[in-house]
Amino acid sequence: MPTVDGREPVGKRPGASGHRAVPHTADMRVEAWSPTAEGCIDEAVHAVLEGFADTSGAAVVGEREYVVTAESDEDLLVSVLEEVVYRMDADGEIPLTVEVGAIQSAGDGRGLSVRFRMADAGTAVPIGAVPKAVSLHDLQLRGGPGGWTCRVTLDV
């Protein structure tokens, strides 16, 4: 399954999940792929985190769980990534792990639950620019016969 730019990811195996950073001027751009939309959102979160922090020695501070509702699956992706940015800015926390629940119908839109295992952001090693916001420009989350792919850009 090609990613949204039509190229096959390096090391991609059928039915596998993964992610990669994509060069982009003055911003952070990531792509992810998975058999499911939820898996694609999970991979996108990991790609973003790996783009700016080494959390291998970070100190765990607890878990955070919340429910996201939005009009579309793409909006769910944006909401989850906005929560990551918000937690860093407001609470000084960074996700170590993420569990994305199944996407459900929610009123007129879609919803999912997310659980983060959080660390003190001050104990992570910075390796890149910290994202400040999620951009809607060229945002994609699409399903196809080979699975799901997504692309998102974050302002740094």
Side-chain angles (χ1 to χ4, degrees):
M1 166 193 53
T3 59
V4 287
D5 68 358
R7 295 183 295 169
E8 284 293 327
V10 175
K12 170 83 171 70
R13 295 180 319 275
S17 296
H19 57 266
R20 68 179 178 175
V22 179
H24 195 271
T25 305
D27 289 320
M28 174 189 292
R29 173 174 244 154
V30 298
E31 292 180 345
W33 55 93
S34 181
T36 66
E38 298 87 351
C40 204
I41 292 170
D42 178 286
E43 289 291 336
V45 170
H46 284 93
V48 168
L49 295 172
E50 289 172 9
F52 72 92
D54 175 358
T55 60
S56 60
V60 176
V61 295
E63 289 192 2
R64 307 280 182 255
E65 186 171 354
Y66 72 106
V67 175
V68 175
T69 57
E71 290 184 23
S72 69
D73 291 348
E74 285 180 337
D75 292 337
L76 291 174
L77 170 62
V78 169
S79 294
V80 170
L81 292 173
E82 285 178 340
E83 184 70 13
V84 170
V85 172
Y86 171 77
R87 292 287 178 186
M88 287 185 303
D89 186 49
D91 301 329
E93 296 178 353
I94 185 171
L96 292 174
T97 62
V98 59
E99 294 176 25
V100 178
I103 296 174
Q104 307 281 330
S105 292
D108 292 336
R110 313 282 279 151
L112 60 77
S113 63
V114 180
R115 174 177 288 158
F116 291 121
R117 183 169 174 237
M118 305 299 285
D120 178 343
T123 63
V125 176
I127 59 171
V130 176
K132 303 294 181 200
V134 180
S135 173
L136 300 180
H137 177 72
D138 205 22
L139 171 71
Q140 294 181 358
L141 176 61
R142 295 183 180 162
W148 287 78
T149 58
C150 65
R151 166 172 55 199
V152 64
T153 302
L154 292 95
D155 301 326
V156 294

